[in-house]
């Protein structure tokens, strides 16, 4: 028996656990699920004979070390900032580790010791980061192996509501942490390069500088820029690439409407509103508008942001009921962002029968034999239900597959890793196809490279 | 002989020093001017027999303590963050202190010791803070003494170019630290109250939410909100006031044009542009616009911010020559704000013959005998030349007058003080009149209070 310890049994762990339970007899696995709620941990075992659920408080050193000591490999599904203690214990007791989170500085600092002990600490192997790395590197390596030179890499991901459950004007529901959606893009200008020129978009313009994307069978999407595109230069070996851009996918029209909240200052998370608990939605909106003894909140908002009364934007705001006199924010000392989240959750929470959808889209521009070419690659996955969501599958399955392959010594390169090597991504992407996670490629004309004319 | 030590001989110290030199014989004063440049310090003495200039590095403890020990009162004209070491030495050696800066936490912490020793540490006695405190409290105290109840206090200050030197489309030149102008308003939403309702303006809307002000003989001005209006509730004893708002004055149209820079992200001071040194002004502007192989920087900017070609806004941008191909930013790793400052300084630097102007405007709303009333009060001062500027007079004269009155035991309340008590503001405001610093009051209708109808 090989023992796998999973720390943290949340909504994103369903497909991960299902995969490992399904493989447990054939692969001789015993799965221990440790969670801060023992009841929750036990529920996730589904009464399977090769699994048990235990109480595990990751901040209780004794409890944590005992569980890790008994395992051969640890999967941490906790929020990123909680991995490091488990990682140090894995090093201490000589256990492999798998996470779906970005490599933190603390995690990276363990690299040489992890290598010395011949261990694999695989990170960033969920969906984003994870499937994005693997699917991008597969095409980039193929282009390079064929003698091509990379000119452009653009990559977009979005967690959305599935078309069959899409029943609001925003074409959006919360399929993941709502807070991250409300504060998305904050903390500094988005930086990227387009055709060799640095470009910067301040937060308050982010949702007005979108790109369109078209996916056959799914129609049109839009994307706004992520903050950190430039770090992918070194990760993917794209130091000389002329265009590097990463973005977040929404349905067309979302960003233009979301920009209203940004403009008003409703997404600000840096200060508290003293009397937030008792404010009606209407009073909350009025905080961000000039005082008038006579004009309505509606007209002040329309005038302030120059919204015509027949603009669909306006219907989107009405749909959220933001001008309601009676509904209260009901949160003490809420930040504007927390209050907005409350208003949005009234309307954007998934219904029991709703399904989610993950969309990923890459563009690869390259030069081969003096010719400029482009490959577009996309993946769309719809969730089965609210247990086996597209999010849970795309986050959990790569983690589970990687974990098993590490145990089976098919992934062996030691150290603090991310899945950008063929040894890792080829078999995982292949296996993901059988779960419906598959990229479709098409060739298209390479547009826009014209350096003699940039901004002239 | 009473010895006054002035630390820091900058542009704002001219009127301060002139005042004290003029009074030195009659008042038996000896003025020591300490500066990091001994030459500069000596120049400021004008060869006056009652003055000397010395080298003084405020970070050199021995040098600092020797100079302070020999004085009866210290005036620190250094930037606010450098006062504290001098303040501690004043406490150690039992010397009074005067500064024109906001009271820092470190300064406030000295209060009980300062009181014990019977010393006066007078701060915030320049123009803003300073003359604003004094002129506001004079009217507020008068209203209260007459049985009135304060309903509203709005206060605006601006450092501008004098009408006779106003020769650009922005009606603005740098009369003070350019950096503070470029980054003004950043660091969080502006907070204030209007008619009992909290109001918040995010930075990116600040320059679109202006108020107009009219001053007889000087025409129209506009003002945008300062960040920190609410702290004046406790300072001025205005806890129950319905409207509290502080703002910065510009000529009409400045803010709408400045907003272009804010929108583009050019005022951001939080990141560096890697290749800033070699960027032309045009390339710098293009950093903040979408890539296009064909469209010009001009058209991209106009389209992005929806500026009509016949809008005066556009002429303001052209006047700054921001689309120039050849002029270089010339600063290594500049932030966007530093690069913008460079561009603006080409055009907004005062010419040798230019004069500056300080404008201050208060509105006091109150209720007396069941009637709502309003007093508006304003002060405009034009500089004489580039030595005795309006800024140097309004900053330096109150400091000088306060210093002399402390020495003469006319200001005696011990502790860390700001000039909000009658003992302090009445004689100083009276004396400032003889230097042309005088407020004009007029009564006006109190507008707008209609709580039953707010935002309904």
């Amino acid at each position: 028996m090989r023992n796998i310890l999973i720390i943290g049994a949340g909504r994103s762990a369903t497909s991960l656990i299902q995969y490992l339970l399904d493989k447990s007899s054939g692969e001789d696995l015993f799965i221990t699920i440790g969670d801060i709620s023992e009841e929750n941990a036990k529920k996730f075992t589904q009464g399977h004979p090769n699994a048990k659920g235990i109480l595990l408080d990751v901040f209780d050193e004794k409890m944590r070390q005992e569980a890790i000591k008994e395992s051969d490999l640890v999967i941490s599904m906790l929020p990123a900032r909680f991995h490091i203690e488990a990682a140090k214990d894995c090093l201490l007791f000589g256990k492999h580790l798998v996470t779906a989170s970005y490599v933190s500085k603390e995690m990276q600092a363990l690299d040489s010791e992890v290598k010395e002990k011949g261990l694999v600490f695989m990170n960033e192997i969920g969906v984003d980061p994870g499937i994005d790395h693997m699917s991008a590197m597969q095409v980039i390596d193929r282009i390079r192996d064929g003698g091509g030179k990379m000119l452009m890499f653009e990559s977009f991901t979005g967690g959305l509501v599935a078309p069959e459950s899409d029943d609001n004007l925003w074409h959006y529901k919360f399929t993941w942490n709502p807070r991250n959606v409300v504060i998305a893009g904050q903390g500094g200008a988005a930086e990227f390069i387009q055709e060799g020129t640095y470009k910067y978009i301040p937060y308050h313009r982010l949702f007005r500088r979108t790109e369109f994307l078209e996916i056959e069978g799914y129609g049109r999407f839009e994307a706004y820029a992520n903050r950190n595109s430039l770090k992918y230069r070194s990760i993917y070996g794209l130091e000389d690439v002329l265009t590097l851009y990463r973005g977040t996918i929404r349905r067309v029209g979302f960003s233009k409407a979301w920009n209203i909240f940004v403009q008003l200052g409703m997404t600000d998370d840096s200060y508290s509103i003293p009397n937030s608990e008792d404010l009606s939605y209407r009073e909350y909106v009025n905080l961000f508008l000039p005082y008038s003894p006579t004009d309505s909140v509606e007209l002040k908002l329309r005038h302030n942001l120059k919204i015509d009364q027949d603009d669909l934007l306006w219907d989107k705001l009405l749909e959220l009921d933001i001008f309601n006199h009676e509904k209260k924010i009901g949160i003490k000392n809420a930040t504007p962002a927390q209050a907005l989240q409350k208003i949005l959750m009234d309307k954007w929470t998934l219904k029991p029968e709703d399904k989610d959808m993950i969309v990923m889209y890459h563009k690869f521009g390259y030069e081969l034999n003096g010719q400029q070419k482009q490959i577009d690659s996309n993946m769309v996955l719809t969730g089965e239900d609210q247990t086996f969501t597209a999010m849970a599958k795309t986050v959990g399955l790569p983690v589970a597959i990687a974990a098993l392959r590490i145990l089976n010594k098919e992934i062996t390169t030691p150290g603090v890793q991310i899945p950008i090597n063929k040894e890792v991504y080829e078999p995982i992407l292949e296996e993901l196809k059988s779960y419906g996670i598959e990229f479709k490629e098409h060739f298209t004309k390479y547009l826009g490279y014209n350096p003699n004319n940039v901004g002239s």
Side-chain angles (χ1 to χ4, degrees), chain A:
Chain A
M1 279 299 211
R2 282 92 56 86
N3 289 306
I4 295 179
L5 171 65
I6 299 171
I7 308 179
R11 286 183 60 200
S12 61
T14 54
S15 296
L16 159 71
I17 291 169
Q18 190 65 49
Y19 177 95
L20 292 173
L21 291 178
D22 289 350
K23 299 272 180 182
S24 62
S25 303
E27 293 279 356
D28 215 19
L29 304 174
F30 189 85
I31 319 298
T32 303
I33 301 169
D35 195 73
I36 190 79
S37 152
E38 191 177 351
E39 192 193 338
N40 193 40
K42 285 188 193 302
K43 198 186 70 190
F44 268 85
T45 65
Q46 304 171 34
H48 198 289
N50 285 16
K52 68 172 177 184
I54 62 166
L55 171 68
L56 202 167
D57 175 357
V58 77
F59 296 110
D60 182 325
E61 187 180 16
K62 189 163 162 280
M63 202 183 266
R64 189 183 68 229
Q65 292 197 339
E66 268 174 20
I68 291 175
K69 220 184 295 184
E70 284 172 17
S71 70
D72 297 294
L73 180 145
V74 174
I75 295 172
S76 175
M77 295 300 281
L78 297 169
R81 62 190 182 281
F82 300 142
H83 295 324
I84 191 68
E85 294 307 322
K88 285 178 181 166
D89 290 337
C90 285
L91 195 55
L92 185 65
F93 300 117
K95 313 300 183 186
H96 302 294
L97 174 68
V98 183
T99 87
S101 307
Y102 285 105
V103 174
S104 64
K105 275 183 194 160
E106 295 75 24
M107 184 70 82
Q108 190 58 48
L110 304 178
D111 183 51
S112 56
E113 286 179 80
V114 173
K115 276 182 182 141
E116 267 169 42
K117 293 211 165 184
L119 297 172
V120 182
F121 278 22
M122 180 64 69
N123 301 277
E124 305 191 17
I125 192 153
V127 55
D128 176 9
I131 293 176
D132 58 343
H133 286 326
M134 296 191 282
S135 54
M137 285 309 299
Q138 189 178 48
V139 177
I140 292 170
D141 281 343
R142 195 197 327 139
I143 289 169
R144 285 177 178 150
D145 291 349
K149 179 178 179 284
M150 286 294 295
L151 298 176
M152 173 184 88
F153 174 62
E154 297 189 27
S155 176
F156 310 89
T157 305
L160 299 168
V161 64
E164 54 264 50
S165 308
D166 179 351
D167 55 13
N168 70 41
L169 292 173
W170 295 71
H171 307 300
Y172 188 78
K173 295 184 184 181
F174 289 125
T175 63
W176 200 238
N177 187 342
R179 178 172 166 76
N180 291 349
V181 176
V182 175
I183 63 174
Q186 296 187 29
E191 303 184 36
F192 52 94
I193 33 173
Q194 275 177 327
E195 299 297 336
T197 306
Y198 284 97
K199 294 288 180 187
Y200 303 94
I201 309 180
Y203 173 63
H204 58 266
R205 293 289 298 165
L206 199 56
F207 297 94
R208 302 310 301 124
R209 291 270 299 269
T210 50
E211 285 197 21
F212 290 136
L213 300 168
E214 190 96 29
I215 299 182
E216 210 188 315
Y218 292 91
R220 238 178 170 195
F221 299 87
E222 66 186 15
Y224 62 84
N226 293 355
R227 283 187 57 212
N228 56 356
S229 295
L230 296 184
K231 75 172 187 179
Y232 290 83
R233 284 202 281 209
S234 55
I235 295 173
Y236 292 177
L238 296 174
E239 282 82 358
D240 299 326
V241 90
L242 292 165
T243 298
L244 188 58
Y245 183 96
R246 284 174 50 98
T248 297
I249 296 176
R250 295 286 180 259
R251 280 292 184 182
V252 174
F254 177 92
S255 299
K256 189 176 178 184
W258 185 260
N259 183 53
I260 299 292
F261 300 141
V262 174
Q263 289 309 309
L264 289 171
M266 288 180 178
T267 61
D268 197 325
D269 201 41
S270 70
Y271 65 89
S272 295
I273 303 160
N275 54 343
S276 60
E277 192 173 16
D278 299 324
L279 286 182
S280 69
Y281 289 4
R282 185 179 193 79
E283 287 166 327
Y284 164 73
V285 173
N286 197 31
L287 295 178
F288 307 100
L289 294 168
Y291 169 76
S292 162
T294 51
D295 299 325
S296 68
V297 177
E298 284 88 347
L299 189 61
K300 289 192 296 183
L301 197 156
R302 279 216 289 259
H303 170 255
N304 225 257
L305 297 175
K306 299 192 168 65
I307 304 172
D308 290 329
Q309 64 173 12
D310 57 356
D311 192 320
L312 185 60
L313 268 185
W314 191 249
D315 298 300
K316 287 178 185 167
L317 297 179
L318 292 181
E319 188 183 73
L320 293 173
D321 209 10
I322 62 168
F323 300 111
N324 192 296
H325 282 283
E326 283 153 21
K327 291 185 187 168
K328 301 279 186 196
I329 299 299
I331 307 168
K332 271 191 189 154
N333 296 313
T335 65
Q338 287 167 337
L340 177 60
Q341 181 182 328
K342 165 66 168 59
I343 293 174
L344 298 175
M345 286 180 76
D346 290 355
K347 301 287 174 175
W348 289 358
T349 298
L350 292 169
K351 290 178 215 150
E353 68 279 14
D354 278 346
K355 294 176 185 177
D356 74 331
M357 176 169 76
I358 293 282
V359 182
M360 199 173 282
Y361 197 109
H362 302 305
K363 299 181 188 182
F364 307 90
Y366 60 101
E367 198 173 283
L368 183 65
N369 303 326
Q371 282 197 305
Q372 290 172 349
K373 295 165 183 277
Q374 184 170 326
I375 296 171
D376 280 21
S377 164
N378 70 63
M379 182 274 289
V380 181
L381 183 75
T382 300
E384 287 172 36
D385 51 34
Q386 293 234 25
T387 305
F388 297 103
T389 62
M391 189 65 90
K393 286 184 180 199
T394 52
V395 172
L397 290 173
V399 168
I401 296 169
L404 186 54
R405 295 187 72 84
I406 292 168
L407 280 181
N408 289 344
K409 302 197 183 356
E410 292 158 336
I411 295 175
T412 55
T413 310
V416 174
Q417 301 284 339
I418 67 170
I420 53 173
N421 298 316
K422 271 184 200 158
E423 167 202 53
V424 179
Y425 67 66
E426 286 288 10
I428 294 179
L429 288 173
E430 190 55 36
E431 188 169 344
L432 286 175
K433 287 182 188 171
S434 57
Y435 294 90
I437 302 170
E438 184 167 10
F439 282 80
K440 288 187 184 148
E441 288 183 14
H442 54 281
F443 287 82
T444 167
K445 215 172 98 184
Y446 180 70
L447 294 161
Y449 179 41
N450 188 355
N452 297 323
N453 210 6
V454 171
S456 61

